[in-house]
Amino acid sequence: MGRFLVTGGAGFIGSNFVRLLAESTDHTITVLDALTYAGNAASLEGLPPSRCRLVTGSVADPELTQELVADSDVVVHFAAESHNDNSLRDPSPFIRTNLVGTYTLLEAVRRHGTRYHHISTDEVYGDLELDDPAKFTESTPYNPSSPYSATKAGSDLLVRAWVRSFGVQATISNCSNNYGPYQHVEKFIPRQITNVIDGIRPKLYGAGLNVRDWIHVTDHNLAVLRILEAGQIGETYLIGADGELGNKRVIELILELMGQPGDAYDHVNDRAGHDLRYAIDSTRLRTELGWEPVYRDFESGLAATIEWYRANEGWWRPMKQATEARYAAAGQ
Ligand code: NAD
Ligand code: DAU
């Protein structure tokens, strides 16, 4: 391997991936990140400058991606517009980054014969009923609900086509909901933690019956490294840690862990087209590649995440006010 190009490496999962890579290997790492509202150079502070550099620019820029891919052995593509609520307000950046950006990168790796790993989401499969015994597997049909998940589904299909038609050396992973440090305060868990710190009551969409399948961001990134080591070219791997939990219960847990009454939250407007439940069957990743989650206890992982937000107010404070203003305008 050697020279990694990590797109979206100043975002939540990407910055955790860059830290893991810098700590556990001696590879050189170039981060390509547009530093949108969701990207933050501060998430990469403290990394060794001799091996890690940040290039500010877009994955949808063909000259820049050709130039950076030409100097790389492996591309891991995290960059995306990632928030469902934003995609309901304005889908256009989702089309540009998630579809055109992925196409642009695929053309670059095709030209240079570079190994490519595509980071995607379980949302491409749509949602499940609460009482459905089935979980998503690699053969579940695509059925995305939101503009965000539709663009992620489209980007996955571009990768599959570039593998089959042009022999691109690619793998794909579809992961469930991540939690951990450096996650933007627009997302469910950090929004509620920082609300409680600020004395604002947590906000639960609708009745809060929706279920998400939580995984610690480090477990996601360890699975990506394992796929890069041993995954079969052209194959898809689902990543999940059996972490299904209702949104209402997650809010209650955050409140309890932060010393507040478990019912001290508000119900707010529901999300349009809100997916009810996600659940991942990660048998393939476990049996074929031998991956297992390290963070098996959601409650202690959540407690550590709360501590991280308490200790790193300087990181999230600049984003908090504008984020809450956007939610207030939507009655959320
Ligand atoms: P994030 O929003 O925190 O980070 C996205 C990063 O991409 C930001 O740093 C942003 O500046 C950058 N970016 C956006 N547009 C860009 C462009 N045109 N060119 C270059 N960089 C650009 O997102 P995240 O939660 O870290 O998600 C990372 C990836 O993982 C996404 O592909 C997402 O679909 C996928 N994913 C996320 C989750 C989750 O729970 N967060 C779960 C499964 C998959
Ligand atoms: O499943 C993987 C996906 O998980 C990723 O592809 C996305 O990038 C990531 O954002 C996440 O999508 P969700 O829409 O599930 O995550 P979000 O944090 O926005 O919301 C989680 C759940 O919490 C969802 O059911 C909506 C609900 N919610 C969210 C917010 C922000 C609330 O009840 N209140 C809130 O304030």
Side-chain angles (χ1 to χ4, degrees):
M1 292 193 175
R3 298 167 303 167
F4 271 69
L5 177 62
V6 181
T7 74
F12 164 45
I13 307 174
S15 64
N16 279 283
F17 181 78
V18 170
R19 277 179 194 286
L20 184 65
L21 203 58
E23 281 158 14
S24 60
T25 71
D26 54 10
H27 299 310
T28 61
I29 306 162
T30 298
V31 169
L32 170 59
D33 198 295
L35 297 184
T36 67
Y37 80 96
N40 192 342
S43 303
L44 298 170
E45 272 170 13
L47 290 164
S50 57
R51 289 200 292 127
C52 304
R53 68 171 175 146
L54 169 63
V55 175
T56 306
S58 174
V59 288
D61 175 339
E63 283 85 38
L64 181 60
T65 52
Q66 289 284 350
E67 181 193 320
L68 295 176
V69 169
D71 281 338
S72 307
D73 302 306
V74 185
V75 176
V76 188
H77 179 35
F78 289 93
E81 286 292 336
S82 68
H83 194 38
N84 277 296
D85 291 324
N86 293 345
S87 81
L88 297 164
R89 285 191 274 270
D90 178 11
S92 60
F94 291 76
I95 304 290
R96 263 197 315 280
T97 292
N98 301 359
L99 287 169
V100 180
T102 298
Y103 157 72
T104 307
L105 263 184
L106 283 169
E107 284 293 86
V109 296
R110 172 189 174 195
R111 179 164 164 194
H112 296 285
T114 314
R115 174 79 169 88
Y116 172 89
H117 182 72
H118 185 71
I119 302 292
S120 193
T121 169
D122 60 356
E123 295 194 17
V124 299
Y125 301 112
D127 61 353
L128 299 162
E129 293 299 329
L130 294 178
D131 59 357
D132 190 336
K135 295 184 175 193
F136 300 139
T137 71
E138 285 79 4
S139 52
T140 303
Y142 274 35
N143 186 27
S145 313
S146 73
Y148 161 68
S149 50
T151 57
K152 291 299 293 186
S155 71
D156 293 8
L157 298 181
L158 290 175
V159 178
R160 290 184 186 191
W162 261 242
V163 168
R164 176 152 174 175
S165 303
F166 305 123
V168 161
Q169 300 288 295
T171 41
I172 300 175
S173 55
N174 296 78
C175 188
S176 60
N177 285 64
N178 287 216
Y179 72 98
Y182 298 102
Q183 187 169 29
H184 194 281
V185 293
E186 70 188 353
K187 301 297 194 314
F188 180 51
I189 287 179
R191 183 184 184 203
Q192 314 314 334
I193 294 171
T194 54
N195 274 355
V196 175
I197 291 173
D198 279 355
I200 303 169
R201 285 162 69 92
K203 310 293 180 205
L204 186 63
Y205 289 180
L209 297 178
N210 311 67
V211 169
R212 296 294 181 264
D213 190 350
W214 294 100
I215 181 172
H216 193 278
V217 63
T218 302
D219 280 330
H220 179 181
N221 285 330
L222 286 167
V224 172
L225 285 179
R226 186 70 197 127
I227 294 166
L228 282 168
E229 279 164 9
Q232 295 289 310
I233 296 301
E235 294 300 326
T236 290
Y237 298 89
L238 261 57
I239 306 174
D242 296 327
E244 279 190 73
L245 216 53
N247 291 345
K248 188 168 164 297
R249 184 65 196 132
V250 173
I251 282 202
E252 287 165 359
L253 272 174
I254 290 170
L255 283 162
E256 286 160 16
L257 288 166
M258 296 183 77
Q260 304 288 318
D263 61 355
Y265 60 86
D266 295 329
H267 289 273
V268 294
N269 288 342
D270 207 350
R271 174 183 285 171
H274 195 173
D275 279 341
L276 188 53
R277 172 177 163 237
Y278 306 136
I280 291 261
D281 177 346
S282 58
T283 304
R284 177 176 208 187
L285 180 68
R286 294 174 194 236
T287 54
E288 291 182 18
L289 303 188
W291 171 89
E292 289 292 336
V294 176
Y295 292 80
R296 289 161 187 277
D297 179 10
F298 177 74
E299 209 170 310
S300 59
L302 185 61
T305 304
I306 291 170
E307 281 320 304
W308 190 87
Y309 281 89
R310 280 199 169 118
N312 290 277
E313 185 170 341
W315 180 87
W316 58 264
R317 177 60 66 197
M319 313 161 202
K320 183 67 181 167
Q321 205 181 352
T323 304
E324 285 307 310
R326 276 199 294 278
Y327 279 125
Q332 294 178 320

